[in-house]
Amino acid sequence: MAERIRRRTALALAGLAATAPWWPRPAFAAASPIVKPLPEDKFFVYGTNAETRWEALRGIGDVVPVDRFFVRDHTSTPLLDADTWRLQLYGTGLRGSPTADRPVEFGYRDLLRLPSRTITARIECAGNGRSFFTTQQGQAVTGTAWRLGAVGVARWKGVPLATVLRRAGLTASAVDLLPQGLDPNYVTGGVDLGPVRRPLPVRKALDDVLLAYEMNGEPLPPDHGHPVRLVVPDWIGVASIKWVGRIEVAASALASPWSTQYYRLWGPDYPPEGVLLGRQNTKSAFELPWQASFDAGREHVLTGRSWSGTGGLRHVEVSTDGATWRRATPLAPARGWQRWAVRWRPPGPGSYTLRARATDRTGVAQPDVAPYNTQGYLFGAVVAHPVTVA
C-alpha cells in the first residue's frame, strides 16, 4: 500500500515540482480531497474526511495500518515534493528575530541528518464522538458528525521539535509557536481564513512534540502529512499540523481562527470568551459495527479500546445489561490506547445495549452525560452501542 501511494505521488509531482518555487507556493491537491482508497468496509466518508469503522480494527494490534487510519482534512490533501520542501522558522522568540521573508530554514535532508526519535502516539480529532451529542443527548451541534472513529494510533519517527527550535535559536523569552500547514487555504462563508495554523505553547513543544517524517516505518503518506507533520501527543488533533511548512516563534501570545473561532468550548456553561481546547479526554469504543448481530445460545468475546489524554488508564468496565459492570481484561500493555476484552453470553434473543467506560489514571471515570458545547467537541460520555441477538 505504501509503495503504491509513493508511486502515485511521484507521478503527480513530476510535472509540478519544476514549475513552482517553494515559498510561496500553491499546495497542489489530488483529483479528490483524499488520495488513498477509502473502501466501504473500512471507512465512513464525509466529504474531505474519512472515519475508521471500528469493526475494521478488530484483530489489529495497537498500531493502525495506513489503509484504515482516519483522515481529517480541512480542505484537501496536497501533493508536496520532499526535495523542495522547506521548514521556515521566524519570529521574536528566536535569536536575532528572523523575519518571515528571511527565516531560518531546514530542508527534508537536514531533518534526516538530525538525531531521530520514534514514538507510538495517538492522533484524535477534537470532534470525535460529536454525533452522540445529538443522537444520545438530543442536543444540536455543528461540525462533522463523527461517531468514535476519528482516532488512530501510529508509530511515528522524526526529529523532536525541541531539537529544531534550539538549532534555530530559541530564546528564553519565547512563549508561543504558530505552526502552519501547506494545505490549501480554508474558505468558509466566503471568508478566506488562510492555511490551517494553531498556537502551541513553547512548554509543550519542548516536552514531547515530534516533527515526524515516517508513519509505521514508511515515509508519511500524502493524506497523513507528507513530507513532514507535527505529532503532539495527547492533544486535540488540530495541534498536530499536517504538511507543516512554517513556524512562527513569538515572545508573546499568538492566535489564529483555529484558536479563536474554532476549537474552543462555547455554550451556556462556559464564559463568553469560551475555553481554549488543549488535551483530549477519555473515551471507549467497541470493535463492532453499529447494530451488530450475535448468535444466541453461545458465548462471545467483546473487544474494544479505551484511551485518555491524561496519559493513562486505571481500568475499563463493560455493561451488557445497563445495570451491572464487569472489569474488562487488558489484552496487552497500553501503547497509545488500551485494548481490552470481556466475555458475554446473551441471556436470549432480543435487542441489547453495550456500554464501556474507562477510568483514567487520576481516578475519573467517563460520565453518563457529556458537558454540552455548541461545536460538539470532546464528547467523552459512555456511548450506548446497540446490538441484536438472534
Side-chain angles (χ1 to χ4, degrees):
M1 173 64 70
E3 182 59 35
R4 290 202 301 272
I5 291 174
R6 284 199 297 274
R7 286 200 300 268
R8 185 161 63 243
T9 302
L11 290 171
L13 290 170
L16 298 175
T19 63
W22 185 82
W23 191 270
R25 66 177 293 175
F28 299 109
S32 61
I34 297 174
V35 174
K36 69 181 181 183
L38 302 172
E40 290 186 3
D41 64 332
K42 293 183 176 69
F43 294 100
F44 299 104
V45 180
Y46 313 113
T48 64
N49 305 308
E51 174 178 0
T52 304
R53 290 179 179 266
W54 271 96
E55 59 268 32
L57 296 184
R58 185 174 176 87
I60 300 295
D62 293 309
V63 173
V64 177
V66 170
D67 72 345
R68 61 198 73 190
F69 204 99
F70 86 101
V71 178
R72 168 66 172 111
D73 284 359
H74 281 82
T75 51
S76 60
T77 294
L79 300 177
L80 303 174
D81 184 2
D83 290 335
T84 58
W85 172 88
R86 297 291 183 275
L87 176 64
Q88 300 185 335
L89 298 98
Y90 67 96
T92 58
L94 297 178
R95 189 169 53 249
S97 298
T99 60
D101 57 348
R102 295 179 66 87
V104 179
E105 289 193 350
F106 294 83
Y108 188 73
R109 286 180 173 78
D110 295 329
L111 294 190
L112 295 182
R113 286 191 286 266
L114 293 175
S116 66
R117 184 184 178 203
T118 300
I119 62 174
T120 299
R122 183 183 62 258
I123 303 288
E124 181 182 8
C125 179
N128 195 25
R130 177 182 283 125
S131 67
F132 298 110
F133 276 108
T134 301
T135 61
Q136 191 164 292
Q137 297 186 182
Q139 298 163 324
V141 294
T142 59
T144 300
W146 305 102
R147 288 182 180 174
L148 288 172
V151 61
V153 169
R155 190 171 63 255
W156 312 96
K157 180 180 179 181
V159 179
L161 179 54
T163 300
V164 170
L165 289 172
R166 290 182 176 120
R167 286 177 177 254
L170 183 72
T171 68
S173 63
V175 173
D176 263 359
L177 312 181
L178 189 62
Q180 178 175 304
L182 293 172
D183 38 339
N185 288 5
Y186 180 61
V187 180
T188 179
V191 178
D192 188 340
L193 299 181
V196 176
R197 57 205 187 280
R198 191 173 194 269
L200 182 69
V202 166
R203 66 181 182 275
K204 176 64 174 176
L206 296 179
D207 180 20
D208 57 359
V209 178
L210 199 67
L211 281 164
Y213 47 73
E214 284 188 9
M215 179 183 184
N216 296 345
E218 298 285 347
L220 282 175
D223 294 308
H224 301 292
H226 177 85
V228 177
R229 70 171 297 162
L230 288 184
V231 175
V232 184
D234 293 326
W235 278 43
I236 59 172
V238 71
S240 295
I241 296 291
K242 295 193 286 187
W243 317 292
V244 63
R246 280 193 149 188
I247 301 178
E248 181 180 355
V249 185
S252 58
L254 296 171
S256 82
W258 286 266
S259 65
T260 59
Q261 185 173 341
Y262 303 109
Y263 300 100
R264 297 184 79 89
L265 297 174
W266 308 95
D269 296 326
Y270 298 98
E273 68 275 14
V275 174
L276 183 65
L277 295 180
R279 283 186 174 272
Q280 271 288 1
N281 57 354
T282 303
K283 297 184 181 70
S284 299
F286 288 93
E287 295 173 336
L288 290 171
W290 208 247
Q291 296 289 359
S293 181
F294 292 89
D295 292 334
R298 67 184 185 89
E299 187 176 72
H300 301 273
V301 177
L302 305 176
T303 60
R305 304 178 191 225
S306 299
W307 60 97
S308 178
T310 62
L313 299 174
R314 289 190 180 181
H315 58 259
V316 179
E317 300 167 290
V318 171
S319 175
T320 57
D321 61 9
T324 59
W325 294 85
R326 289 182 291 150
R327 290 281 182 96
T329 301
L331 294 181
R335 292 195 310 158
W337 45 20
Q338 179 63 67
R339 294 185 293 124
W340 46 261
V342 66
R343 295 183 178 277
W344 177 46
R345 182 180 290 275
S351 297
Y352 294 83
T353 300
L354 307 180
R355 293 175 173 86
R357 69 181 180 197
T359 298
D360 72 12
R361 67 175 183 177
T362 70
V364 176
Q366 289 181 251
D368 292 327
V369 177
Y372 172 71
N373 66 94
T374 59
Q375 294 184 339
Y377 296 127
L378 300 186
F379 186 92
V382 175
V383 170
H385 191 122
V387 298
T388 300
V389 175

